[in-house]
Amino acid sequence: ATAGDYGTAPAGVHGTATAGVSGTATAGVSGTATAGERGTIIIAWWDSELGRRRWVVGEVGIDGIVADTPYRVVDGALVEVES
């Protein structure tokens, strides 16, 4: 799913979500998400220890999250997708 500036891009399991400036990119389990400046990344992941889906949220410009960079979840944390 792709959304422009200020938009919301939701994608399902194994999906890819991309949003523009101040947008929100949300992806399901095993998905990837990319957001523009001042954007938000939200990705679901499966916590096998708790037996449930959980969510990780990252905001561009905070805690090292970079604009226009794809992320995925590894062990409950956002990590940059290697090209």
Side-chain angles (χ1 to χ4, degrees):
T2 302
D5 295 349
Y6 305 97
T8 300
V13 174
H14 300 287
T16 300
T18 303
V21 174
S22 296
T24 300
T26 305
V29 175
S30 299
T32 62
T34 304
E37 293 294 329
R38 298 180 308 277
T40 303
I41 294 170
I42 305 169
I43 303 178
W45 66 284
W46 184 257
D47 186 331
S48 57
E49 195 172 298
L50 294 178
R52 64 178 290 171
R53 180 185 60 210
R54 297 184 60 199
W55 299 89
V56 176
V57 177
E59 298 174 84
V60 174
I62 298 174
D63 295 329
I65 302 299
V66 179
D68 304 317
T69 302
Y71 288 88
R72 62 187 171 96
V73 175
V74 174
D75 296 328
L78 291 175
V79 296
E80 190 173 326
V81 174
E82 308 247 345
S83 46

